[in-house]
């Protein structure tokens, strides 16, 4: 058996339906979400405000998450920024 055969066997045994069933414990669904975003320095804060924030606020992104579950958005930056 070569290394590729061993890796393929491991992959089959870790996926349900292709060998032994996976034994991952089920997790409870999240009760809340906290999004942390670091941005400091004028250039990076400006880029965040111009490009990233509009994308995050687009339908299907953060608004979709916030509509389903309590959501907190934390912007990590310096006082000057």
């Amino acid at each position: 058996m070569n290394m590729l055969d061993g890796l393929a066997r491991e992959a089959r045994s870790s996926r349900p339906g292709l060998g032994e069933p996976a034994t991952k414990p089920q997790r409870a669904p999240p009760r809340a979400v906290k999004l942390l975003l670091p941005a400091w320095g004028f250039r990076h804060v400006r880029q965040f405000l111009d490009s990233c924030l509009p994308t995050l606020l687009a339908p299907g992104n953060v608004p979709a998450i916030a509509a389903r579950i309590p959501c907190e958005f934390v912007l990590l930056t310096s006082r000057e920024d």
Side-chain angles (χ1 to χ4, degrees), residues 37 47-57:
L37 187 116
Q47 182 179 11
F48 168 74
L49 293 173
D50 290 343
S51 301
C52 300
L53 185 59
T55 301
L56 289 171
L57 294 177

Side-chain angles (χ1 to χ4, degrees), residues 1 3 14 16 22 25 28 33 37-39 48 50 56 60 70-71 73 77 81:
M1 175 168 76
M3 190 167 103
S14 66
V33 173
L37 187 116
F48 168 74
D50 290 343
L56 289 171
C71 186
F73 190 93
T77 190
D81 294 331

Side-chain angles (χ1 to χ4, degrees), residues 1-79:
M1 175 168 76
N2 64 32
M3 190 167 103
L4 291 176
D5 291 334
L7 291 174
R9 181 171 292 151
E10 284 181 45
R12 281 193 303 272
S13 67
S14 66
R15 294 188 302 191
L18 295 176
E20 297 176 21
T23 58
K24 287 187 176 181
Q26 292 291 336
R27 291 186 351 182
R31 293 178 288 163
V33 173
K34 184 179 285 194
L35 303 163
L36 305 175
L37 187 116
W40 53 85
F42 179 82
R43 190 178 105 220
H44 298 295
V45 171
R46 173 76 3 219
Q47 182 179 11
F48 168 74
L49 293 173
D50 290 343
S51 301
C52 300
L53 185 59
T55 301
L56 289 171
L57 294 177
N61 289 334
V62 174
I65 296 169
R68 297 180 188 271
I69 191 168
C71 186
E72 180 181 0
F73 190 93
V74 179
L75 180 59
L76 306 165
T77 190
S78 67
R79 183 180 302 267

